[in-house]
Amino acid sequence: MALYFRKRVQKKAEIAVWKIEETEEELLKICSVPDDELEEIMFIQNEQRRKEKLAVRALLNEVFEDKVYLEHHDNGKPFLENNPCEISITHTQKYVAIITHPDEYVGIDIESLSRDFSAVEKKALSDEEIEDLTDDEKRNKQLAIYWCAKEAIYKRMSQSRVDFAEQIEVEKFTPRGEGELEATFIHKDGYEDEFELEYMTFDGHILVWLVG
């Protein structure tokens, strides 16, 4: 078993992270996947992707006392067929993570800091956010936090065709080991939702989440 950590966060939400150390065969033995879900996983050609999916199932089995059935809406947002709680899921090659809440919408994203995030600047940041970037060794981490924050908000909003640069604004911050972020989601009709996010770093990864 490779439950890396599990903790309560704000507003009764809970985060759980699984470190993928097992082989695919070992994950199949421990994760007890429902038949229809297993069939979908086995259709995935990429082995690493299959392992990530199996690790998600192993994590769900660890977190929930009763077996839950994972499904996805047409837009890709995950939900539990037999449990009313809200859930968001994220994964890298090394870790999978979930956040759950009894009734409030949630969003979560994880990325490895070994990845080059330079493309995020042009793809996902507004002119104001670009102006707030540092020019030192923290720049890649800063870009990673921007990206994870916007991905977490995107998952929470569950809308299609979101322009990350124009519709998701993250207030200026100084990247640290952990911290809080303020952000705004701008709907296409001009209405704005404001969010408070939290982030933490561990083992060369950044994890960002929000509740509500």
Side-chain angles (χ1 to χ4, degrees):
M1 302 288 284
L3 179 66
Y4 193 72
F5 71 82
R6 180 179 179 182
K7 71 171 186 174
R8 292 279 182 179
V9 290
Q10 73 271 37
K11 300 179 182 178
K12 300 180 182 179
E14 183 178 57
I15 288 174
V17 177
W18 184 280
K19 187 175 184 179
I20 306 174
E21 298 178 312
E22 303 84 359
T23 64
E24 183 176 352
E25 290 73 21
E26 288 170 337
L27 284 168
L28 281 166
K29 289 179 181 178
I30 65 174
C31 67
S32 182
V33 190
D35 290 342
D36 55 346
E37 188 177 332
L38 180 60
E39 185 176 351
E40 290 183 11
I41 292 174
M42 290 299 102
F43 271 118
I44 299 173
Q45 294 186 352
N46 183 281
E47 180 182 357
Q48 178 58 37
R49 186 71 173 172
R50 290 197 304 272
K51 286 178 63 176
E52 292 168 10
K53 293 285 189 179
L54 290 169
V56 167
R57 168 48 59 180
L59 186 53
L60 291 173
N61 291 349
E62 182 73 18
V63 168
F64 293 94
E65 292 184 8
D66 298 322
K67 181 177 288 188
V68 291
Y69 293 87
L70 182 65
E71 298 288 349
H72 293 82
H73 294 290
D74 291 341
N75 61 7
K77 183 178 181 179
F79 70 95
L80 301 177
E81 191 177 76
N82 60 327
N83 190 301
C85 82
E86 294 292 334
I87 187 170
S88 183
I89 299 171
T90 184
H91 41 76
T92 64
Q93 287 192 344
K94 196 172 182 179
Y95 290 97
V96 298
I98 65 171
I99 183 170
T100 57
H101 190 279
D103 48 46
E104 295 214 39
Y105 292 129
V106 289
I108 194 168
D109 196 60
I110 188 172
E111 292 287 352
S112 171
L113 290 170
S114 63
R115 173 183 164 187
D116 179 3
F117 286 92
S118 57
V120 170
E121 182 175 341
K122 291 183 178 180
K123 182 169 71 170
L125 299 192
S126 66
D127 292 340
E128 292 81 4
E129 290 167 336
I130 292 172
E131 289 178 2
D132 292 337
L133 290 172
T134 60
D135 290 319
D136 56 20
E137 70 281 355
K138 293 183 179 180
R139 188 182 184 91
N140 196 63
K141 182 177 181 179
Q142 194 175 11
L143 287 168
I145 294 172
Y146 269 121
W147 179 252
C148 285
K150 295 194 177 203
E151 273 285 331
I153 292 171
Y154 172 72
K155 291 177 181 180
R156 181 259 180 251
M157 298 306 298
S158 188
Q159 294 186 14
S160 60
R161 298 180 181 177
V162 172
D163 187 322
F164 277 32
E166 297 295 328
Q167 291 185 256
I168 307 176
E169 296 180 354
V170 179
E171 296 296 321
K172 184 177 180 179
F173 64 93
T174 300
R176 299 184 173 91
E178 59 182 36
E180 299 178 353
L181 303 166
E182 294 183 356
T184 303
F185 183 89
I186 305 167
H187 294 261
K188 293 176 182 178
D189 63 2
Y191 182 78
E192 297 183 358
D193 283 316
E194 296 183 353
F195 296 107
E196 293 182 356
L197 302 92
E198 294 188 42
Y199 71 90
M200 63 180 293
T201 54
F202 62 91
D203 191 25
H205 286 67
I206 183 81
L207 183 71
V208 181
W209 66 91
L210 78 156
V211 181

